[in-house]
Amino acid sequence: MLSIVIPSLGHDHLAETLNNIEASTIQPDEIIVCLPKKYILSKKIKNIKGLKILYSEVKGQVIQRIIGIRSAKNKIIMQLDDDIQLDKMCIEELLNINESLEGKNVFGPELLYNFSGKPISHHVKKKSILTDILYTVLLGAKYGKNRLGTMTKEGICFGLDPEYFSNDIVFCDWLPGGCILGKKENFIDYNFYPYEGKAYCEDILNSILRTNNNIKHYYVKKGKAFTLREDTNIDVSRYKAEIRIRKYINKINHGSHLKFFIWRSYFYYKTMKNLYLNRQNL
């Protein structure tokens, strides 16, 4: 019925992710964990029904996930990061929506921070005038809460804050890659990521490729999942890696080079400002 695909390095937090799956109201009959060759599973991971371990010759989230997707035996797949913990009803809610909606679709849950319980996508009502001018006037994004869930041609994405949506499902331009469910044929099963190393913004690129294949993205409010990652600070090395892939995204999505340059300059300003503030707090 359902295959869950998890690219991983086998670290301890994978054990908690697997335990959450085991506690879900609906159980997958296959859990595929794909590790890079020579990596081993944490000793905290117990024997779980349906667990299948695969190995990749290459270390990389995108490639490892693809190996899992290709080998999945079921028509319905959930791709899951190894540090995402599912609410016990999450799988059931996503499956119910998947069965009720016809067409080429993929679905993602509401993502929250595990420690604070706050939504990852938080819309700040009172942004600075500079930020609103940048997003709305220069980048052509919708104004205020209307931009939530959208993506500009330059690949600049805005998350969905659940506070602003009463519907059970909401159409959106993109989905975070941490947890997505859909039919197997609606997942990208080739190596679409052009660089080695950590795959920054792979979910944006993946969403664009799905959209180009006429696959629609939906946010499911009743489905809930939690991430361990709450540190949003960015350093110079990450900034460079992220800008490199975003330049690629801007190119393949036929975005404006000028708009991208303006956004990149603003992003650099925020990065340097955060680094300065962090050093001041040391």
Side-chain angles (χ1 to χ4, degrees):
M1 178 185 177
L2 172 66
S3 297
I4 296 182
V5 174
I6 307 175
S8 180
L9 299 180
H11 294 158
D12 289 352
H13 51 249
L14 173 61
E16 191 64 30
T17 296
L18 293 174
N19 290 340
N20 282 168
I21 293 173
E22 195 174 37
S24 297
T25 56
I26 291 183
Q27 294 292 307
D29 55 354
E30 182 179 52
I31 304 172
I32 301 171
V33 173
C34 187
L35 303 172
K37 196 173 181 180
K38 298 183 179 179
Y39 278 69
I40 60 174
L41 288 176
S42 165
K43 293 181 180 179
K44 292 184 177 182
I45 296 172
K46 61 183 181 180
N47 186 28
I48 292 179
K49 183 180 178 181
L51 182 61
K52 180 179 179 182
I53 308 299
L54 300 179
Y55 291 91
S56 168
E57 294 291 334
V58 179
K59 177 185 174 183
Q61 181 188 36
V62 173
I63 294 177
Q64 290 172 233
R65 183 189 293 148
I66 289 166
I67 290 172
I69 290 172
R70 287 179 176 175
S71 68
K73 67 180 183 181
N74 292 302
K75 294 182 179 180
I76 306 298
I77 289 178
M78 172 184 278
Q79 71 172 48
L80 190 67
D81 284 356
D82 69 354
D83 62 350
I84 296 290
Q85 298 178 8
L86 302 176
D87 177 80
K88 67 178 182 179
M89 290 291 294
C90 184
I91 294 175
E92 183 172 350
E93 295 291 354
L94 294 180
L95 281 174
N96 287 341
I97 297 297
N98 179 69
E99 292 173 3
S100 67
L101 204 61
E102 296 182 355
K104 300 171 66 175
N105 312 302
V106 290
F107 306 91
E110 177 185 339
L111 286 173
L112 305 105
Y113 290 121
N114 189 44
F115 298 112
S116 66
K118 296 179 180 179
I120 291 177
S121 299
H122 176 63
H123 175 63
V124 180
K125 297 178 183 178
K126 294 183 178 180
K127 282 189 169 67
S128 69
I129 295 176
L130 176 61
T131 300
D132 270 332
I133 290 174
L134 173 72
Y135 287 153
T136 306
V137 179
L138 297 178
L139 290 178
K142 295 179 180 179
Y143 181 74
K145 66 179 182 179
N146 293 321
R147 72 169 65 110
L148 299 182
T150 67
M151 180 195 303
T152 71
K153 294 294 288 184
E154 293 70 40
I156 312 305
C157 294
F158 305 94
L160 279 165
D161 187 335
E163 179 183 346
Y164 294 89
F165 298 93
S166 58
N167 295 340
D168 289 342
I169 61 171
V170 180
F171 172 77
C172 49
D173 291 341
W174 73 291
L175 286 173
C179 180
I180 297 177
L181 182 141
K183 295 178 182 177
K184 184 175 181 178
E185 63 260 31
N186 293 334
F187 285 83
I188 306 299
D189 65 353
Y190 60 87
N191 185 15
F192 57 84
Y193 201 80
Y195 305 115
E196 295 181 355
K198 186 171 176 62
Y200 292 108
C201 302
E202 64 85 14
D203 48 0
I204 300 175
L205 183 52
N206 207 339
S207 295
I208 291 170
L209 295 175
R210 285 192 295 260
T211 298
N212 291 343
N213 288 335
N214 298 314
I215 297 164
K216 296 180 179 178
H217 303 87
Y218 288 94
Y219 157 86
V220 180
K221 189 172 184 178
K222 287 186 177 180
K224 297 186 186 302
F226 303 86
T227 179
L228 300 175
R229 293 170 293 184
E230 194 154 355
D231 182 12
T232 57
N233 291 329
I234 186 169
D235 58 23
V236 174
S237 60
R238 177 181 164 184
Y239 168 83
K240 291 179 179 178
E242 188 166 332
I243 287 299
R244 179 177 65 170
I245 185 59
R246 284 186 177 276
K247 285 175 67 176
Y248 177 80
I249 290 170
N250 183 60
K251 179 180 178 181
I252 69 163
N253 208 36
H254 308 293
S256 163
H257 295 295
L258 176 61
K259 288 181 179 180
F260 178 77
F261 174 78
I262 294 170
W263 175 85
R264 184 178 68 181
S265 300
Y266 181 67
F267 187 36
Y268 178 80
Y269 159 74
K270 290 207 304 181
T271 300
M272 294 301 104
K273 180 180 178 181
N274 287 337
L275 283 174
Y276 174 77
L277 291 175
N278 288 340
R279 288 170 180 167
Q280 291 294 103
N281 292 329
L282 291 178

